[in-house]
Amino acid sequence: MEIIRIAILSLSALMLVFVGLMRLSNPIKTYLKNSGIKLANDASLLNEMRGISAVMFCAGIIILLGTCIGKITFTSHFVASLIFIGFAIGRLISLKADGKPSKQITQGILFELILGTANVFCLIDIWG
């Protein structure tokens, strides 16, 4: 099970570090390319986008550390569960309230649900 936990943490961390860093460095280009969203060149909007991107990046670093520091493996799975399940819940609420998003965002919901659920199962396994 240890190898599976490391693989799940690694995938979770790599996704958050990569997406967080790309959105932090160039949100207009990254959102358009990966989500089909055209962001306005508005300082307040870009500030919000970079803020959440930095949270994603930092969470990815914490999760990545859990792959090599055994004492924080539980914390890493907990953070990954919160981030991915949180994003999925927010997106599912938006799906109901706002309608169907683009194909890329719909695929994102699926990945968030899979990684969130996998991290929750790892938490249960650690507790058990």
Side-chain angles (χ1 to χ4, degrees), residues 27-72:
I28 293 173
K29 180 181 175 185
T30 304
Y31 273 90
L32 184 59
K33 180 180 177 188
N34 295 335
S35 304
I37 299 171
K38 185 175 182 180
L39 295 178
N41 194 5
D42 175 284
S44 296
L45 175 63
L46 293 174
N47 187 286
E48 285 295 315
M49 296 297 99
R50 289 183 201 271
I52 192 64
S53 299
V55 170
M56 292 170 67
F57 177 74
C58 290
I61 296 297
I62 291 169
I63 296 164
L64 188 59
L65 289 172
T67 63
C68 53
I69 301 172
K71 289 183 179 182
I72 66 166

mmCIF file of all heavy atoms in Angstrom, residues 27-72:
data_model
loop_
_atom_site.group_PDB
_atom_site.id
_atom_site.type_symbol
_atom_site.label_atom_id
_atom_site.label_comp_id
_atom_site.label_asym_id
_atom_site.label_seq_id
_atom_site.Cartn_x
_atom_site.Cartn_y
_atom_site.Cartn_z
ATOM 1 N N PRO A 27 -1.463 33.743 -15.952
ATOM 2 C CA PRO A 27 -2.858 33.290 -15.842
ATOM 3 C C PRO A 27 -3.676 33.466 -17.114
ATOM 4 O O PRO A 27 -4.484 32.592 -17.443
ATOM 5 C CB PRO A 27 -3.423 34.136 -14.696
ATOM 6 C CG PRO A 27 -2.497 35.284 -14.548
ATOM 7 C CD PRO A 27 -1.150 34.830 -15.036
ATOM 8 N N ILE A 28 -3.471 34.546 -17.845
ATOM 9 C CA ILE A 28 -4.288 34.783 -19.050
ATOM 10 C C ILE A 28 -4.067 33.669 -20.068
ATOM 11 O O ILE A 28 -5.017 33.053 -20.559
ATOM 12 C CB ILE A 28 -3.989 36.172 -19.653
ATOM 13 C CG1 ILE A 28 -4.463 37.268 -18.698
ATOM 14 C CG2 ILE A 28 -4.651 36.318 -21.023
ATOM 15 C CD1 ILE A 28 -4.083 38.683 -19.105
ATOM 16 N N LYS A 29 -2.833 33.370 -20.367
ATOM 17 C CA LYS A 29 -2.509 32.341 -21.350
ATOM 18 C C LYS A 29 -2.907 30.949 -20.855
ATOM 19 O O LYS A 29 -3.480 30.147 -21.605
ATOM 20 C CB LYS A 29 -1.006 32.375 -21.655
ATOM 21 C CG LYS A 29 -0.558 31.347 -22.653
ATOM 22 C CD LYS A 29 0.936 31.431 -22.893
ATOM 23 C CE LYS A 29 1.432 30.333 -23.798
ATOM 24 N NZ LYS A 29 2.897 30.346 -23.927
ATOM 25 N N THR A 30 -2.626 30.646 -19.592
ATOM 26 C CA THR A 30 -2.886 29.316 -19.054
ATOM 27 C C THR A 30 -4.376 29.013 -18.973
ATOM 28 O O THR A 30 -4.814 27.921 -19.333
ATOM 29 C CB THR A 30 -2.232 29.159 -17.667
ATOM 30 O OG1 THR A 30 -0.836 29.431 -17.787
ATOM 31 C CG2 THR A 30 -2.415 27.762 -17.126
ATOM 32 N N TYR A 31 -5.164 29.958 -18.486
ATOM 33 C CA TYR A 31 -6.610 29.722 -18.414
ATOM 34 C C TYR A 31 -7.202 29.530 -19.803
ATOM 35 O O TYR A 31 -8.049 28.670 -20.018
ATOM 36 C CB TYR A 31 -7.331 30.868 -17.688
ATOM 37 C CG TYR A 31 -7.379 30.670 -16.194
ATOM 38 C CD1 TYR A 31 -6.378 31.162 -15.383
ATOM 39 C CD2 TYR A 31 -8.428 29.982 -15.601
ATOM 40 C CE1 TYR A 31 -6.422 30.983 -14.007
ATOM 41 C CE2 TYR A 31 -8.490 29.793 -14.240
ATOM 42 C CZ TYR A 31 -7.476 30.294 -13.441
ATOM 43 O OH TYR A 31 -7.519 30.101 -12.092
ATOM 44 N N LEU A 32 -6.767 30.323 -20.775
ATOM 45 C CA LEU A 32 -7.289 30.196 -22.133
ATOM 46 C C LEU A 32 -6.926 28.833 -22.721
ATOM 47 O O LEU A 32 -7.768 28.141 -23.285
ATOM 48 C CB LEU A 32 -6.749 31.321 -23.025
ATOM 49 C CG LEU A 32 -7.291 31.363 -24.447
ATOM 50 C CD1 LEU A 32 -8.809 31.510 -24.455
ATOM 51 C CD2 LEU A 32 -6.651 32.513 -25.213
ATOM 52 N N LYS A 33 -5.674 28.432 -22.554
ATOM 53 C CA LYS A 33 -5.188 27.175 -23.127
ATOM 54 C C LYS A 33 -5.808 25.953 -22.438
ATOM 55 O O LYS A 33 -6.236 25.019 -23.106
ATOM 56 C CB LYS A 33 -3.667 27.110 -23.022
ATOM 57 C CG LYS A 33 -3.077 25.846 -23.598
ATOM 58 C CD LYS A 33 -1.566 25.836 -23.478
ATOM 59 C CE LYS A 33 -0.986 24.530 -23.981
ATOM 60 N NZ LYS A 33 0.441 24.434 -23.704
ATOM 61 N N ASN A 34 -5.857 25.945 -21.112
ATOM 62 C CA ASN A 34 -6.270 24.750 -20.372
ATOM 63 C C ASN A 34 -7.756 24.688 -20.058
ATOM 64 O O ASN A 34 -8.275 23.606 -19.801
ATOM 65 C CB ASN A 34 -5.484 24.630 -19.068
ATOM 66 C CG ASN A 34 -4.012 24.405 -19.316
ATOM 67 O OD1 ASN A 34 -3.615 23.897 -20.355
ATOM 68 N ND2 ASN A 34 -3.185 24.803 -18.377
ATOM 69 N N SER A 35 -8.432 25.825 -20.020
ATOM 70 C CA SER A 35 -9.836 25.824 -19.639
ATOM 71 C C SER A 35 -10.746 26.470 -20.673
ATOM 72 O O SER A 35 -11.960 26.427 -20.537
ATOM 73 C CB SER A 35 -10.021 26.569 -18.308
ATOM 74 O OG SER A 35 -9.214 26.005 -17.302
ATOM 75 N N GLY A 36 -10.159 27.125 -21.661
ATOM 76 C CA GLY A 36 -10.964 27.820 -22.649
ATOM 77 C C GLY A 36 -11.562 29.114 -22.109
ATOM 78 O O GLY A 36 -12.505 29.646 -22.676
ATOM 79 N N ILE A 37 -11.015 29.604 -20.996
ATOM 80 C CA ILE A 37 -11.530 30.818 -20.358
ATOM 81 C C ILE A 37 -10.666 32.002 -20.770
ATOM 82 O O ILE A 37 -9.442 31.977 -20.603
ATOM 83 C CB ILE A 37 -11.515 30.686 -18.817
ATOM 84 C CG1 ILE A 37 -12.406 29.531 -18.381
ATOM 85 C CG2 ILE A 37 -11.936 31.992 -18.166
ATOM 86 C CD1 ILE A 37 -12.277 29.184 -16.908
ATOM 87 N N LYS A 38 -11.315 33.036 -21.287
ATOM 88 C CA LYS A 38 -10.594 34.248 -21.672
ATOM 89 C C LYS A 38 -10.685 35.244 -20.514
ATOM 90 O O LYS A 38 -11.757 35.792 -20.245
ATOM 91 C CB LYS A 38 -11.177 34.849 -22.948
ATOM 92 C CG LYS A 38 -10.386 36.022 -23.447
ATOM 93 C CD LYS A 38 -10.906 36.529 -24.770
ATOM 94 C CE LYS A 38 -10.017 37.682 -25.225
ATOM 95 N NZ LYS A 38 -10.454 38.236 -26.486
ATOM 96 N N LEU A 39 -9.573 35.437 -19.836
ATOM 97 C CA LEU A 39 -9.531 36.381 -18.725
ATOM 98 C C LEU A 39 -9.264 37.784 -19.240
ATOM 99 O O LEU A 39 -8.452 37.981 -20.133
ATOM 100 C CB LEU A 39 -8.413 36.009 -17.734
ATOM 101 C CG LEU A 39 -8.544 34.698 -16.976
ATOM 102 C CD1 LEU A 39 -7.327 34.481 -16.091
ATOM 103 C CD2 LEU A 39 -9.808 34.671 -16.149
ATOM 104 N N ALA A 40 -9.942 38.740 -18.641
ATOM 105 C CA ALA A 40 -9.695 40.142 -18.974
ATOM 106 C C ALA A 40 -8.384 40.572 -18.318
ATOM 107 O O ALA A 40 -7.972 40.024 -17.298
ATOM 108 C CB ALA A 40 -10.835 41.007 -18.461
ATOM 109 N N ASN A 41 -7.740 41.536 -18.917
ATOM 110 C CA ASN A 41 -6.496 42.065 -18.356
ATOM 111 C C ASN A 41 -6.864 43.082 -17.276
ATOM 112 O O ASN A 41 -6.630 44.272 -17.397
ATOM 113 C CB ASN A 41 -5.641 42.696 -19.455
ATOM 114 C CG ASN A 41 -4.217 42.937 -18.985
ATOM 115 O OD1 ASN A 41 -3.850 42.559 -17.878
ATOM 116 N ND2 ASN A 41 -3.435 43.571 -19.824
ATOM 117 N N ASP A 42 -7.463 42.568 -16.192
ATOM 118 C CA ASP A 42 -7.954 43.369 -15.083
ATOM 119 C C ASP A 42 -7.104 43.042 -13.857
ATOM 120 O O ASP A 42 -7.022 41.871 -13.453
ATOM 121 C CB ASP A 42 -9.429 43.024 -14.857
ATOM 122 C CG ASP A 42 -10.027 43.701 -13.655
ATOM 123 O OD1 ASP A 42 -9.738 43.258 -12.517
ATOM 124 O OD2 ASP A 42 -10.790 44.666 -13.845
ATOM 125 N N ALA A 43 -6.489 44.032 -13.256
ATOM 126 C CA ALA A 43 -5.555 43.807 -12.147
ATOM 127 C C ALA A 43 -6.208 43.069 -10.980
ATOM 128 O O ALA A 43 -5.595 42.173 -10.386
ATOM 129 C CB ALA A 43 -4.965 45.129 -11.680
ATOM 130 N N SER A 44 -7.442 43.409 -10.645
ATOM 131 C CA SER A 44 -8.117 42.746 -9.519
ATOM 132 C C SER A 44 -8.416 41.287 -9.832
ATOM 133 O O SER A 44 -8.209 40.402 -8.989
ATOM 134 C CB SER A 44 -9.409 43.486 -9.171
ATOM 135 O OG SER A 44 -9.124 44.789 -8.723
ATOM 136 N N LEU A 45 -8.902 41.013 -11.032
ATOM 137 C CA LEU A 45 -9.191 39.638 -11.445
ATOM 138 C C LEU A 45 -7.914 38.810 -11.468
ATOM 139 O O LEU A 45 -7.867 37.688 -10.949
ATOM 140 C CB LEU A 45 -9.856 39.620 -12.826
ATOM 141 C CG LEU A 45 -10.112 38.241 -13.429
ATOM 142 C CD1 LEU A 45 -11.073 37.442 -12.568
ATOM 143 C CD2 LEU A 45 -10.640 38.380 -14.846
ATOM 144 N N LEU A 46 -6.865 39.349 -12.056
ATOM 145 C CA LEU A 46 -5.601 38.623 -12.132
ATOM 146 C C LEU A 46 -5.014 38.406 -10.741
ATOM 147 O O LEU A 46 -4.402 37.360 -10.468
ATOM 148 C CB LEU A 46 -4.611 39.361 -13.031
ATOM 149 C CG LEU A 46 -5.015 39.407 -14.508
ATOM 150 C CD1 LEU A 46 -4.053 40.275 -15.296
ATOM 151 C CD2 LEU A 46 -5.102 38.016 -15.094
ATOM 152 N N ASN A 47 -5.214 39.361 -9.837
ATOM 153 C CA ASN A 47 -4.755 39.206 -8.459
ATOM 154 C C ASN A 47 -5.451 38.017 -7.803
ATOM 155 O O ASN A 47 -4.808 37.203 -7.124
ATOM 156 C CB ASN A 47 -5.029 40.507 -7.688
ATOM 157 C CG ASN A 47 -4.440 40.480 -6.315
ATOM 158 O OD1 ASN A 47 -4.948 39.804 -5.431
ATOM 159 N ND2 ASN A 47 -3.362 41.234 -6.140
ATOM 160 N N GLU A 48 -6.758 37.896 -8.006
ATOM 161 C CA GLU A 48 -7.505 36.762 -7.464
ATOM 162 C C GLU A 48 -7.024 35.440 -8.068
ATOM 163 O O GLU A 48 -6.862 34.447 -7.373
ATOM 164 C CB GLU A 48 -9.005 36.938 -7.725
ATOM 165 C CG GLU A 48 -9.667 37.958 -6.846
ATOM 166 C CD GLU A 48 -9.674 37.559 -5.375
ATOM 167 O OE1 GLU A 48 -9.983 36.398 -5.062
ATOM 168 O OE2 GLU A 48 -9.377 38.434 -4.540
ATOM 169 N N MET A 49 -6.808 35.432 -9.377
ATOM 170 C CA MET A 49 -6.359 34.215 -10.060
ATOM 171 C C MET A 49 -4.972 33.787 -9.562
ATOM 172 O O MET A 49 -4.726 32.618 -9.317
ATOM 173 C CB MET A 49 -6.320 34.418 -11.576
ATOM 174 C CG MET A 49 -7.667 34.691 -12.232
ATOM 175 S SD MET A 49 -8.838 33.335 -12.084
ATOM 176 C CE MET A 49 -9.855 33.862 -10.728
ATOM 177 N N ARG A 50 -4.089 34.747 -9.424
ATOM 178 C CA ARG A 50 -2.738 34.425 -8.935
ATOM 179 C C ARG A 50 -2.770 33.997 -7.469
ATOM 180 O O ARG A 50 -1.981 33.148 -7.046
ATOM 181 C CB ARG A 50 -1.804 35.612 -9.131
ATOM 182 C CG ARG A 50 -1.452 35.870 -10.596
ATOM 183 C CD ARG A 50 -0.450 37.019 -10.707
ATOM 184 N NE ARG A 50 -0.427 37.639 -12.000
ATOM 185 C CZ ARG A 50 0.350 37.251 -13.016
ATOM 186 N NH1 ARG A 50 1.150 36.222 -12.884
ATOM 187 N NH2 ARG A 50 0.312 37.908 -14.158
ATOM 188 N N GLY A 51 -3.679 34.560 -6.694
ATOM 189 C CA GLY A 51 -3.794 34.174 -5.284
ATOM 190 C C GLY A 51 -4.150 32.702 -5.129
ATOM 191 O O GLY A 51 -3.484 31.962 -4.405
ATOM 192 N N ILE A 52 -5.194 32.255 -5.809
ATOM 193 C CA ILE A 52 -5.594 30.850 -5.728
ATOM 194 C C ILE A 52 -4.540 29.947 -6.358
ATOM 195 O O ILE A 52 -4.318 28.826 -5.905
ATOM 196 C CB ILE A 52 -6.998 30.594 -6.330
ATOM 197 C CG1 ILE A 52 -7.504 29.196 -5.973
ATOM 198 C CG2 ILE A 52 -7.007 30.750 -7.824
ATOM 199 C CD1 ILE A 52 -7.717 28.959 -4.519
ATOM 200 N N SER A 53 -3.845 30.453 -7.369
ATOM 201 C CA SER A 53 -2.775 29.674 -8.001
ATOM 202 C C SER A 53 -1.622 29.446 -7.035
ATOM 203 O O SER A 53 -1.034 28.363 -7.004
ATOM 204 C CB SER A 53 -2.279 30.392 -9.258
ATOM 205 O OG SER A 53 -3.328 30.529 -10.182
ATOM 206 N N ALA A 54 -1.310 30.450 -6.229
ATOM 207 C CA ALA A 54 -0.249 30.310 -5.230
ATOM 208 C C ALA A 54 -0.645 29.303 -4.152
ATOM 209 O O ALA A 54 0.187 28.517 -3.684
ATOM 210 C CB ALA A 54 0.088 31.661 -4.607
ATOM 211 N N VAL A 55 -1.924 29.293 -3.783
ATOM 212 C CA VAL A 55 -2.411 28.304 -2.818
ATOM 213 C C VAL A 55 -2.255 26.898 -3.393
ATOM 214 O O VAL A 55 -1.797 25.974 -2.708
ATOM 215 C CB VAL A 55 -3.876 28.586 -2.426
ATOM 216 C CG1 VAL A 55 -4.463 27.431 -1.617
ATOM 217 C CG2 VAL A 55 -3.985 29.890 -1.652
ATOM 218 N N MET A 56 -2.629 26.731 -4.652
ATOM 219 C CA MET A 56 -2.483 25.428 -5.309
ATOM 220 C C MET A 56 -1.018 25.001 -5.334
ATOM 221 O O MET A 56 -0.691 23.846 -5.019
ATOM 222 C CB MET A 56 -3.034 25.483 -6.733
ATOM 223 C CG MET A 56 -4.527 25.660 -6.808
ATOM 224 S SD MET A 56 -5.115 26.001 -8.476
ATOM 225 C CE MET A 56 -4.771 24.449 -9.282
ATOM 226 N N PHE A 57 -0.132 25.923 -5.699
ATOM 227 C CA PHE A 57 1.294 25.622 -5.774
ATOM 228 C C PHE A 57 1.843 25.219 -4.397
ATOM 229 O O PHE A 57 2.533 24.194 -4.265
ATOM 230 C CB PHE A 57 2.060 26.834 -6.318
ATOM 231 C CG PHE A 57 3.548 26.643 -6.357
ATOM 232 C CD1 PHE A 57 4.132 25.830 -7.308
ATOM 233 C CD2 PHE A 57 4.366 27.274 -5.428
ATOM 234 C CE1 PHE A 57 5.504 25.642 -7.340
ATOM 235 C CE2 PHE A 57 5.734 27.093 -5.447
ATOM 236 C CZ PHE A 57 6.306 26.275 -6.406
ATOM 237 N N CYS A 58 1.518 25.983 -3.375
ATOM 238 C CA CYS A 58 2.018 25.688 -2.019
ATOM 239 C C CYS A 58 1.453 24.364 -1.496
ATOM 240 O O CYS A 58 2.175 23.585 -0.856
ATOM 241 C CB CYS A 58 1.685 26.829 -1.067
ATOM 242 S SG CYS A 58 2.617 28.330 -1.400
ATOM 243 N N ALA A 59 0.178 24.103 -1.766
ATOM 244 C CA ALA A 59 -0.410 22.819 -1.370
ATOM 245 C C ALA A 59 0.309 21.677 -2.069
ATOM 246 O O ALA A 59 0.584 20.633 -1.462
ATOM 247 C CB ALA A 59 -1.902 22.797 -1.691
ATOM 248 N N GLY A 60 0.636 21.870 -3.335
ATOM 249 C CA GLY A 60 1.381 20.845 -4.075
ATOM 250 C C GLY A 60 2.737 20.571 -3.452
ATOM 251 O O GLY A 60 3.169 19.413 -3.374
ATOM 252 N N ILE A 61 3.409 21.605 -2.978
ATOM 253 C CA ILE A 61 4.709 21.427 -2.317
ATOM 254 C C ILE A 61 4.545 20.625 -1.026
ATOM 255 O O ILE A 61 5.315 19.691 -0.755
ATOM 256 C CB ILE A 61 5.375 22.798 -2.025
ATOM 257 C CG1 ILE A 61 5.684 23.541 -3.318
ATOM 258 C CG2 ILE A 61 6.613 22.631 -1.155
ATOM 259 C CD1 ILE A 61 6.674 22.860 -4.227
ATOM 260 N N ILE A 62 3.540 20.954 -0.219
ATOM 261 C CA ILE A 62 3.284 20.212 1.024
ATOM 262 C C ILE A 62 2.986 18.745 0.714
ATOM 263 O O ILE A 62 3.495 17.841 1.372
ATOM 264 C CB ILE A 62 2.120 20.846 1.815
ATOM 265 C CG1 ILE A 62 2.546 22.206 2.361
ATOM 266 C CG2 ILE A 62 1.639 19.928 2.941
ATOM 267 C CD1 ILE A 62 1.408 23.032 2.926
ATOM 268 N N ILE A 63 2.173 18.521 -0.294
ATOM 269 C CA ILE A 63 1.825 17.151 -0.678
ATOM 270 C C ILE A 63 3.060 16.412 -1.172
ATOM 271 O O ILE A 63 3.291 15.250 -0.820
ATOM 272 C CB ILE A 63 0.705 17.159 -1.736
ATOM 273 C CG1 ILE A 63 -0.571 17.747 -1.134
ATOM 274 C CG2 ILE A 63 0.454 15.763 -2.288
ATOM 275 C CD1 ILE A 63 -1.613 18.162 -2.154
ATOM 276 N N LEU A 64 3.878 17.075 -1.969
ATOM 277 C CA LEU A 64 5.111 16.461 -2.478
ATOM 278 C C LEU A 64 6.058 16.081 -1.338
ATOM 279 O O LEU A 64 6.677 15.012 -1.367
ATOM 280 C CB LEU A 64 5.804 17.412 -3.455
ATOM 281 C CG LEU A 64 6.996 16.870 -4.223
ATOM 282 C CD1 LEU A 64 6.605 15.658 -5.058
ATOM 283 C CD2 LEU A 64 7.582 17.953 -5.110
ATOM 284 N N LEU A 65 6.152 16.927 -0.328
ATOM 285 C CA LEU A 65 7.009 16.618 0.818
ATOM 286 C C LEU A 65 6.560 15.340 1.528
ATOM 287 O O LEU A 65 7.380 14.603 2.075
ATOM 288 C CB LEU A 65 7.039 17.793 1.800
ATOM 289 C CG LEU A 65 7.798 19.030 1.336
ATOM 290 C CD1 LEU A 65 7.583 20.181 2.304
ATOM 291 C CD2 LEU A 65 9.282 18.732 1.174
ATOM 292 N N GLY A 66 5.264 15.062 1.494
ATOM 293 C CA GLY A 66 4.748 13.845 2.113
ATOM 294 C C GLY A 66 5.202 12.567 1.446
ATOM 295 O O GLY A 66 5.113 11.492 2.034
ATOM 296 N N THR A 67 5.706 12.666 0.224
ATOM 297 C CA THR A 67 6.212 11.466 -0.452
ATOM 298 C C THR A 67 7.570 11.043 0.082
ATOM 299 O O THR A 67 7.954 9.889 -0.063
ATOM 300 C CB THR A 67 6.326 11.666 -1.982
ATOM 301 O OG1 THR A 67 7.283 12.692 -2.252
ATOM 302 C CG2 THR A 67 4.985 12.028 -2.591
ATOM 303 N N CYS A 68 8.300 11.974 0.681
ATOM 304 C CA CYS A 68 9.651 11.631 1.161
ATOM 305 C C CYS A 68 9.838 11.848 2.661
ATOM 306 O O CYS A 68 10.846 11.409 3.215
ATOM 307 C CB CYS A 68 10.708 12.402 0.367
ATOM 308 S SG CYS A 68 10.468 14.164 0.306
ATOM 309 N N ILE A 69 8.907 12.503 3.326
ATOM 310 C CA ILE A 69 8.995 12.698 4.783
ATOM 311 C C ILE A 69 7.796 11.976 5.400
ATOM 312 O O ILE A 69 6.665 12.471 5.365
ATOM 313 C CB ILE A 69 8.978 14.196 5.154
ATOM 314 C CG1 ILE A 69 10.137 14.928 4.481
ATOM 315 C CG2 ILE A 69 9.045 14.363 6.676
ATOM 316 C CD1 ILE A 69 10.087 16.429 4.627
ATOM 317 N N GLY A 70 8.069 10.800 5.943
ATOM 318 C CA GLY A 70 6.999 9.947 6.456
ATOM 319 C C GLY A 70 6.128 10.599 7.521
ATOM 320 O O GLY A 70 4.939 10.306 7.611
ATOM 321 N N LYS A 71 6.694 11.484 8.316
ATOM 322 C CA LYS A 71 5.950 12.110 9.409
ATOM 323 C C LYS A 71 4.834 13.035 8.919
ATOM 324 O O LYS A 71 3.929 13.349 9.690
ATOM 325 C CB LYS A 71 6.894 12.898 10.320
ATOM 326 C CG LYS A 71 7.794 12.012 11.145
ATOM 327 C CD LYS A 71 8.657 12.829 12.081
ATOM 328 C CE LYS A 71 9.524 11.906 12.907
ATOM 329 N NZ LYS A 71 10.352 12.627 13.870
ATOM 330 N N ILE A 72 4.917 13.479 7.674
ATOM 331 C CA ILE A 72 3.859 14.371 7.177
ATOM 332 C C ILE A 72 3.009 13.732 6.075
ATOM 333 O O ILE A 72 2.246 14.424 5.410
ATOM 334 C CB ILE A 72 4.418 15.738 6.724
ATOM 335 C CG1 ILE A 72 5.315 15.608 5.501
ATOM 336 C CG2 ILE A 72 5.105 16.460 7.855
ATOM 337 C CD1 ILE A 72 5.597 16.946 4.846
#
